[in-house]
Amino acid sequence: MAPYVILALAAGVGGYLFCERKPSRKRELLFLAVMTAAMVIMALIRNTTVGLDYEWVYKNYFLTVCEKDFSWLFTRENLYWKEPVYGLLNYAVSLFTRNPVILAGVVSALIILLRMAFVARYSSSVWLSVFIYASCGFFGYSMCTLRQELGISVAMFAIPFLQRKKPLPYFALILLAGICHNSLLVFLPVYFVANWPMNKITLPLYAGGTLFLLLFSEPIIGWFTDHVERFAMYKPGTYFMQGRSFNTIFVPLIFFILAFLMRGKLLERKPENIVLLNLYTYAAALFVLAAKNFVFQRLALMFLPVLLLLLPEIFQSMKPTAQQLEILGRLSESDKPQERQRAAALRKRYQEDAGLYNAALGLVMGGCMLYLAFLLSANTLGLVPYVTLWSAGA
């Protein structure tokens, strides 16, 4: 457990001291490079016992690819023929090695690199996004559900196009994500609803839809699994239909409440933040449904990474804008007593806001660390203990 906690603390404490107190783009990118290198190294040198699915899914599939020619990837004999990106990646690695451990490390590294490249390009607070990635379970998933995480990393790049209402690049990226893992195709219809305003029409609609699914999830899922053979594993009565504990959904719901309460400032800062709010609303609703059926958590985890953008936007919306600071500076330099009094009042308010900002930041970061502790203690992903390739039994 300790390596994951140390990584998250390094991201949080190091990021705050190095990037928050003396912000600059160079500092952010240097911090990002160091933390990315640390995560990639952890993923590359992990023992095969770290993370589920290696032995009975990824290892066996890679060894099969090693024995087949290129054309096999596009035949129905290939379990993932509808998701050719993952097969092609396996084939590319097989040209250099037949060691499945290397394949697992390469895919995990690619997932992390793509996600951090996205953070570097689009996050309004790079260090905070890195901390969220390390503390809210996303780093752990990069060593487990490899195909889906690879697809999610691709799909994240579609979000800015969704915010700017550019359908062609959005759909192109989602289709690419879908051929990494077909589940990401759920984002295709999202284009038509993610810009909906949060108002007296949409909020009852979201709440009513969640309640409807809570009441009738099993017959709906039963009908779906009866008609789509590939999803038969999710039939009622299976493990995936069991409910998750309240601890699983508590922190994601707290973040939703925070985002909902801050929606005014978020939209004032950037109107396109409505997309982030809606996407996270879907995640929160799906986590509520997961309390009844685990299968909904699998869907929620595709929307949850929007936190990498949403939480930084929340905290940026709490800071005074450049225009407000310019006004303060101008008033402070004025010779007029009234304007200097106004400047003093503004300065006092900004100091109070700064105290509130730091207190809220500390509470959220503390919540993230508690969530990490829960995830590691539950160990549903088989991440604990973290051991390296050179440990006994590797």
Side-chain angles (χ1 to χ4, degrees):
M1 185 181 294
Y4 304 106
V5 174
I6 293 170
L7 178 73
L9 287 174
V13 177
Y16 183 82
L17 295 176
F18 189 70
C19 300
E20 182 71 19
R21 294 170 69 93
K22 295 182 179 180
S24 75
R25 184 60 174 170
K26 287 183 178 180
R27 281 174 168 263
E28 280 192 333
L29 293 179
L30 177 59
F31 174 78
L32 180 69
V34 171
M35 294 305 303
T36 301
M39 290 187 285
V40 167
I41 290 170
M42 282 184 67
L44 287 172
I45 67 171
R46 73 185 189 273
N47 196 312
T48 58
T49 61
V50 178
L52 297 178
D53 298 345
Y54 171 80
E55 286 291 340
W56 62 284
V57 177
Y58 303 122
K59 175 183 176 180
N60 292 335
Y61 180 73
F62 178 70
L63 293 176
T64 300
V65 170
C66 290
E67 299 299 326
K68 303 293 183 178
D69 59 25
F70 182 76
S71 61
W72 176 85
L73 296 174
F74 305 98
T75 67
R76 291 180 181 269
E77 292 180 29
N78 175 12
L79 179 63
Y80 304 128
W81 70 276
K82 290 184 178 179
E83 299 161 331
V85 170
Y86 183 70
L88 288 168
L89 187 55
N90 275 253
Y91 183 79
V93 174
S94 74
L95 297 177
F96 301 95
T97 179
R98 294 198 168 200
N99 186 344
V101 174
I102 295 178
L103 179 279
V106 167
V107 178
S108 293
L110 181 59
I111 292 166
I112 296 166
L113 289 169
L114 284 172
R115 204 72 62 93
M116 293 301 101
F118 174 81
V119 164
R121 177 66 178 84
Y122 295 110
S123 175
S124 58
S125 177
V126 169
W127 79 265
L128 185 54
S129 292
V130 174
F131 170 72
I132 295 164
Y133 187 77
S135 64
C136 289
F138 302 118
F139 172 61
Y141 277 106
S142 73
M143 298 188 290
C144 298
T145 54
L146 301 185
R147 289 186 303 115
Q148 188 176 52
E149 282 297 300
L150 183 61
I152 292 171
S153 289
V154 173
M156 292 288 288
F157 285 91
I159 293 177
F161 295 109
L162 180 57
Q163 291 178 302
R164 297 198 294 268
K165 299 180 182 179
K166 293 188 174 182
L168 291 181
Y170 174 81
F171 287 124
L173 283 165
I174 295 304
L175 289 173
L176 178 59
I179 58 175
C180 294
H181 196 281
N182 291 165
S183 65
L184 274 301
L185 295 176
V186 73
F187 278 95
L188 290 175
V190 165
Y191 181 84
F192 303 100
V193 297
N195 276 287
W196 283 1
M198 282 194 168
N199 54 33
K200 61 183 180 181
I201 297 175
T202 54
L203 289 174
L205 183 63
Y206 291 155
T210 304
L211 180 60
F212 177 81
L213 287 174
L214 272 175
L215 295 174
F216 302 105
S217 62
E218 297 206 2
I220 293 172
I221 294 173
W223 180 89
F224 184 74
T225 54
D226 285 342
H227 290 81
V228 183
E229 183 180 354
R230 184 173 182 181
F231 298 105
M233 63 189 295
Y234 300 116
K235 283 183 178 292
T238 63
Y239 166 75
F240 293 101
M241 294 299 288
Q242 298 175 13
R244 308 303 280 175
S245 71
F246 180 72
N247 290 335
T248 303
I249 66 175
F250 178 70
V251 171
L253 288 183
I254 290 296
F255 287 156
F256 169 72
I257 293 171
L258 173 63
F260 184 76
L261 293 175
M262 292 293 296
R263 67 190 185 281
K265 282 185 170 293
L266 272 170
L267 297 179
E268 182 182 352
R269 171 175 159 76
K270 290 181 182 177
E272 59 267 31
N273 278 339
I274 189 63
V275 169
L276 306 183
L277 279 170
N278 275 317
L279 292 179
Y280 196 73
T281 299
Y282 309 151
L286 287 163
F287 267 107
V288 170
L289 295 170
K292 182 181 179 183
N293 304 121
F294 167 52
V295 65
F296 288 109
Q297 185 178 340
R298 300 292 297 270
L299 289 171
L301 291 173
M302 292 188 286
F303 292 95
L304 189 65
V306 75
L307 270 178
L308 298 177
L309 296 183
L310 180 59
L311 283 180
E313 282 296 310
I314 288 174
F315 284 102
Q316 289 300 311
S317 71
M318 298 173 69
K319 293 181 175 181
T321 64
Q323 184 179 11
Q324 290 171 325
L325 292 174
E326 182 183 348
I327 292 172
L328 175 61
R330 188 170 63 250
L331 292 174
S332 299
E333 295 173 357
S334 174
D335 294 330
K336 297 179 180 180
Q338 287 183 334
E339 291 190 351
R340 292 180 70 86
Q341 288 177 357
R342 186 182 169 196
L346 284 175
R347 189 177 296 106
K348 181 180 179 182
R349 194 184 79 186
Y350 292 158
Q351 289 172 346
E352 291 173 351
D353 289 345
L356 179 62
Y357 170 88
N358 285 311
L361 185 61
L363 286 172
V364 167
M365 292 176 69
C368 289
M369 292 303 298
L370 287 174
Y371 190 47
L372 177 63
F374 161 71
L375 293 173
L376 294 176
S377 61
N379 201 29
T380 56
L381 299 179
L383 296 170
V384 179
Y386 176 85
V387 288
T388 69
L389 290 169
W390 302 282
S391 301

